[in-house]
């Protein structure tokens, strides 16, 4: 994918140019792949779809013959609600360390993120209570676990575990196609929807959302504005006032 390659190469290109300008190298900067316009539009979840999905998560069979089955039963409802309520990336949730979640304050220290960029997320009070209950329950099965959502081998769950379980639960109650990662998109869009019609403290809200989602640059958050009805018109107006010069067009980050 050219856009992913472009974002990685551009760092090297910038560094080589920096060295050449100072006469510190004769290396020729590598060519940067041409930018491809993204046509991907994430699934627009409805409240009915989400209600059916989480009801299915909560309706897993009560019987569990193995520790792995019991772990799956209590983990899935919490894991997917964390994605939904925090906008956390699926890999950040999978690799979340137990010690990285402050069960008193509700602050999560996301140490393994895209590009290993550390950031913090504050849980909603209702999600914190759910995490506290889960922590006690899963602790009885894995008392010495390193990861908040432990796999049977003591490590973290795989990407296929997230996808397989989401697909099984989602397809059981919904006909549309969706992925677990799109819960992150839903989080961003729902937050932006609340901004429409308000006294618009744009810069502050943009910064808070960007930091919460772990974007390394505010520009990465711009993608979501064009998915929100009414927001694109707001941006058109502010672009005429120079807004576009402040936030250039960029590629959205890769997702699992």
């Amino acid at each position: 994918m050219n856009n992913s390659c472009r974002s990685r190469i551009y760092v090297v290109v910038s560094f080589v140019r920096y060295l050449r300008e100072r006469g510190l190298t004769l290396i020729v900067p590598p060519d940067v792949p041409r930018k491809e316009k993204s046509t991907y539009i994430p699934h627009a979840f409805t409240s009915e779809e989400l209600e059916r999905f989480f009801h299915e998560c909560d309706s897993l069979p009560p019987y569990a013959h193995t520790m792995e089955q019991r772990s799956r039963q209590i983990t899935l409802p919490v894991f997917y609600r964390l994605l939904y309520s925090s906008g956390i990336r699926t890999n950040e949730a999978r690799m979340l360390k137990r010690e990285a979640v402050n069960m008193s304050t509700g602050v999560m220290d996301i140490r393994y993120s895209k590009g290993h960029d550390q950031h913090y997320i504050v849980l909603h009070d209702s999600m914190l209570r759910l995490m506290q209950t889960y922590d006690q329950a899963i602790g009885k099965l894995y008392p010495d676990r390193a990861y908040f959502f432990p796999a049977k081998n003591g490590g973290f769950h795989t990407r296929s575990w997230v996808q397989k379980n989401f697909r099984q639960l989602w397809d059981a109650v919904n006909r549309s196609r969706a992925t677990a990662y799109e819960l992150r998109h839903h989080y961003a869009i729902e937050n932006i929807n609340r901004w429409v019609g308000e006294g618009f403290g744009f810069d502050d809200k943009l910064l808070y959302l960007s930091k919460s989602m772990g974007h390394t640059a505010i520009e990465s958050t711009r993608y979501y504005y064009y998915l929100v009805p009414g927001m694109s018109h707001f941006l058109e107006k502010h672009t005429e006032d120079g807004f576009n010069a402040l936030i250039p067009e960029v590629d959205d980050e890769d997702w699992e």
Side-chain angles (χ1 to χ4, degrees):
M1 185 175 178
N2 274 3
N3 292 343
S4 296
C5 183
R6 176 188 173 91
S7 64
R8 289 165 173 78
I9 290 179
Y10 202 80
V11 177
V12 177
V13 171
S14 298
F15 181 61
V16 172
R17 289 173 180 171
Y18 172 87
L19 295 177
R20 286 176 62 88
E21 289 173 359
R22 288 157 178 77
L24 299 176
T25 185
L26 297 177
I27 296 176
V28 178
D31 293 331
V32 178
R34 186 176 60 184
K35 183 175 182 179
E36 295 178 346
K37 187 174 180 62
S38 175
T39 58
Y40 171 78
I41 298 179
H43 176 69
F45 292 99
T46 67
S47 57
E48 292 78 15
E49 285 178 330
L50 290 170
E51 183 177 353
R52 289 193 295 267
F53 171 71
F54 285 116
H55 181 269
E56 188 69 11
C57 288
D58 297 335
S59 302
L60 291 171
Y63 54 85
H65 301 294
T66 67
M67 185 169 68
E68 183 180 1
Q69 290 174 333
R70 175 58 178 161
S71 176
R72 177 177 181 271
Q73 179 190 19
I74 63 178
T75 296
L76 294 182
V78 181
F79 184 88
Y80 292 120
R81 279 186 171 89
L82 179 61
L83 299 182
Y84 166 78
S85 66
S86 67
I88 192 174
R89 297 180 177 94
T90 53
N91 68 311
E92 292 170 348
R94 291 190 296 109
M95 301 176 187
L96 182 66
K97 289 291 189 73
R98 182 188 182 191
E99 64 183 21
V101 183
N102 188 314
M103 302 307 296
S104 298
T105 64
V107 176
M108 295 195 303
D109 182 359
I110 308 302
R111 302 169 188 171
Y112 184 89
S113 185
K114 183 179 180 181
H116 301 277
D117 180 61
Q118 183 181 19
H119 64 284
Y120 297 90
I121 294 176
V122 180
L123 296 169
H124 187 276
D125 289 344
S126 61
M127 191 66 219
L128 174 57
R129 291 191 293 270
L130 186 59
M131 295 276 276
Q132 290 170 337
T133 301
Y134 171 79
D135 182 58
Q136 295 177 359
I138 199 68
K140 296 177 181 178
L141 301 178
Y142 299 93
D144 300 318
R145 76 188 197 278
Y147 293 92
F148 197 83
F149 299 107
K152 64 178 180 180
N153 60 0
F156 53 80
H157 290 290
T158 63
R159 178 185 301 184
S160 62
W161 178 89
V162 177
Q163 296 171 336
K164 178 181 178 181
N165 281 292
F166 182 87
R167 175 60 55 197
Q168 179 180 338
L169 294 166
W170 182 264
D171 288 350
V173 292
N174 291 302
R175 294 184 178 181
S176 58
R177 186 185 183 282
T179 66
Y181 197 95
E182 287 170 323
L183 291 171
R184 173 174 167 83
H185 299 307
H186 180 78
Y187 172 84
I189 293 169
E190 283 296 298
N191 273 277
I192 295 171
N193 269 327
R194 298 190 184 99
W195 301 357
V196 179
E198 292 185 357
F200 208 89
F202 181 84
D203 291 339
D204 289 341
K205 289 184 172 69
L206 175 63
L207 179 60
Y208 296 154
L209 180 61
S210 182
K211 292 299 183 182
S212 174
M213 297 188 70
H215 289 153
T216 55
I218 292 179
E219 289 86 349
S220 299
T221 318
R222 178 177 182 243
Y223 164 79
Y224 295 105
Y225 297 135
Y226 294 96
L227 303 179
V228 177
M231 185 60 69
S232 59
H233 298 296
F234 177 88
L235 291 181
E236 290 288 339
K237 176 181 177 181
H238 283 260
T239 297
E240 296 174 359
D241 298 329
F243 179 76
N244 194 50
L246 295 176
I247 304 183
E249 184 177 356
V250 295
D251 301 316
D252 191 37
E253 59 195 2
D254 301 330
W255 45 79
E256 291 187 319

